[in-house]
């Protein structure tokens, strides 16, 4: 499980700028391309340590050792920013992964790391790490090396991360959930996004909204996701019928959300209900079950 707590951590408060164990400096790590960004030198060194761990895992011939390294890597990026770490990084973020996502959203280092990342996608822990480090980069317009494979990895990892919050009763990945939700409601997707990826992300937000927000926010999500573009002309000023996705969107392809398909026979509300029904089968704690039951009853 990517949530197993390892016995050793690489990024304690006093080791955020540590040199990797093999003696190599972060700048000499393969793919660790220096970037020009407003972030501090500490943030760049922290990214170098993370990249070194990924290199060690890719080079390991021992499957158990490789899995252990990747579990440690996931645990490291999920550590809270506290004390000296927060001062060195000069960040208002709560967790390391949030600061690292800002780091990788700039420059070319994220793109340079994709070949290495692809070698580690078979590990569930690393898929989660990948989503946390690169979620902002993946949604940038015009990124040449983002394809269906990378986006599917992101969707799978989000599902796993959000479930970990539900089952533990935490909201460690609220920022990631909010990021995806905001992209859905504002339709800020790269034009190359496949419709199925957008639909999968919409389903994820519908499924986990009751954990992160009051029921009214789920209703708002469905309503906002089904709204026509703001500049679409209305004949008589009346509000459009938002009961079906296929009935409301502009004919302009650039204004359509990625889940819009003129041939599709599905409805946002139906999709959310089906996702919630499926989620009930996987709820394994009384607390999470009560949250979903109370939220569903309030819809």
């Amino acid at each position: 499980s990517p949530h197993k707590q390892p016995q050793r951590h690489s990024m304690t408060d006093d080791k955020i700028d540590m040199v990797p164990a093999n003696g190599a400096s972060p700048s000499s790590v393969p793919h660790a391309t220096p970037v020009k960004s407003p972030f501090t030198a500490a943030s760049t060194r922290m990214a170098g340590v993370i990249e070194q761990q990924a290199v060690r895992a890719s080079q390991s011939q021992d499957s158990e050792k490789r899995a252990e390294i990747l579990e440690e890597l996931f645990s490291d990026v999920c550590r809270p920013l506290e004390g000296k770490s927060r001062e060195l990084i000069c960040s208002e973020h709560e967790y390391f992964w949030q600061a690292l996502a800002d780091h990788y959203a700039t420059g070319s280092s994220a793109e340079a790391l994709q070949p290495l990342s692809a070698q580690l996608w078979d590990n569930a822990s690393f898929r989660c790490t990948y989503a946390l480090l690169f979620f902002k980069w993946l949604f940038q317009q015009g990124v040449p090396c983002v394809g269906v494979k990378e986006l599917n990895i992101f969707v799978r990892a989000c599902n796993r991360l959000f479930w970990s919050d539900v089952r533990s009763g935490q909201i460690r990945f609220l920022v990631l959930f909010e990021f995806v939700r905001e992209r859905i409601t504002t339709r800020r997707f790269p034009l190359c996004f496949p419709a199925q990826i957008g639909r999968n992300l919409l389903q994820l937000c519908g499924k986990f909204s009751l954990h992160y927000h009051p029921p009214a926010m789920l209703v708002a999500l469905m309503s906002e996701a089904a709204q026509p573009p703001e500049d679409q002309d209305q004949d008589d000023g009346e509000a459009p019928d938002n009961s079906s996705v296929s009935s409301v969107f502009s004919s302009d392809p650039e204004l359509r959300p990625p889940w819009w398909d003129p041939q599709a026979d599905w409805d946002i509300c139906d999709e959310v209900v089906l996702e919630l029904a499926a989620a009930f089968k996987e709820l394994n704690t009384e607390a999470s079950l009560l949250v979903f039951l109370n939220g569903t009853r309030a819809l």
Side-chain angles (χ1 to χ4, degrees):
S1 166
H3 311 295
K4 177 182 178 182
Q5 294 297 319
Q7 296 180 347
R8 181 180 63 82
H9 299 289
S10 301
M11 295 194 301
T12 56
D13 284 350
D14 59 341
K15 294 182 180 179
I16 190 171
D17 55 353
M18 64 179 285
V19 173
N22 65 358
S25 66
S27 60
S28 68
V29 176
H31 310 295
T33 305
V35 297
K36 295 180 180 180
S37 76
F39 299 102
T40 64
S43 178
T44 302
R45 289 196 296 271
M46 178 176 66
V49 173
I50 292 295
E51 292 158 17
Q52 180 64 31
Q53 287 180 274
V55 170
R56 286 177 53 221
S58 69
Q59 295 175 345
S60 176
Q61 301 300 313
D62 185 327
S63 59
E64 292 186 1
K65 180 63 176 178
R66 181 172 180 265
E68 179 185 347
I69 294 171
L70 294 177
E71 286 185 4
E72 291 172 354
L73 174 57
F74 176 77
S75 180
D76 281 346
V77 301
C78 290
R79 288 172 62 83
L81 278 168
E82 299 175 327
K84 186 179 178 181
S85 296
R86 185 180 294 275
E87 294 175 6
L88 288 172
I89 298 175
C90 302
S91 172
E92 297 181 356
H93 295 310
E94 186 174 356
Y95 297 101
F96 277 98
W97 61 268
Q98 294 171 261
L100 286 163
D102 284 347
H103 172 84
Y104 286 118
T106 62
S108 60
S109 57
E111 184 175 341
L113 277 168
Q114 296 312 298
L116 173 62
S117 297
Q119 300 176 36
L120 305 172
W121 280 341
D122 61 330
N123 180 277
S125 296
F126 185 77
R127 289 196 295 269
C128 292
T129 302
Y130 182 86
L132 293 175
L133 297 182
F134 300 122
F135 70 96
K136 291 186 176 181
W137 175 79
L138 287 169
F139 280 74
Q140 290 180 350
Q141 192 69 262
V143 176
C145 58
V146 173
V148 175
K149 180 66 174 178
E150 288 80 4
L151 296 173
N152 278 327
I153 292 294
F154 177 75
V155 171
R156 291 177 63 188
C158 283
N159 185 67
R160 189 179 183 90
L161 291 166
F162 298 156
W163 267 123
S164 74
D165 266 356
V166 170
R167 289 166 177 156
S168 64
Q170 301 182 59
I171 53 171
R172 292 188 302 166
F173 306 114
L174 172 62
V175 169
L176 179 61
F177 178 84
E178 288 287 1
F179 178 88
V180 175
R181 187 189 188 282
E182 190 266 345
R183 290 305 186 274
I184 288 173
T185 57
T186 62
R187 298 178 197 142
R188 292 173 59 192
F189 289 91
L191 297 179
C192 63
F193 256 49
Q196 186 60 47
I197 296 295
R199 181 175 175 179
N200 290 345
L201 291 173
L202 177 61
Q203 291 170 334
L204 277 179
C205 283
K207 177 172 25 176
F208 294 106
S209 182
L210 292 178
H211 174 72
Y212 291 107
H213 293 300
M217 293 292 286
L218 178 54
V219 175
L221 170 68
M222 292 186 288
S223 176
E224 292 165 1
Q227 287 289 335
E230 292 181 359
D231 60 347
Q232 180 176 343
D233 294 327
Q234 299 295 329
D235 294 338
D236 53 9
E238 294 182 358
D241 175 13
N242 294 326
S243 61
S244 174
V245 175
S246 59
S247 68
V248 298
F249 286 111
S250 166
S251 59
D252 185 349
E254 294 191 4
L255 296 178
R256 298 171 184 168
W259 56 85
W260 191 91
D261 182 349
Q263 305 301 320
D265 182 20
W266 67 285
D267 181 88
I268 285 180
C269 293
D270 290 344
E271 291 288 309
V272 171
V273 169
L274 290 173
E275 288 298 315
L276 285 175
F280 273 100
K281 300 177 182 179
E282 300 186 52
L283 296 172
N284 58 2
T285 66
E286 181 179 355
S288 61
L289 180 60
L290 287 174
V291 168
F292 275 71
L293 282 174
N294 291 333
T296 304
R297 184 174 57 182
L299 291 176

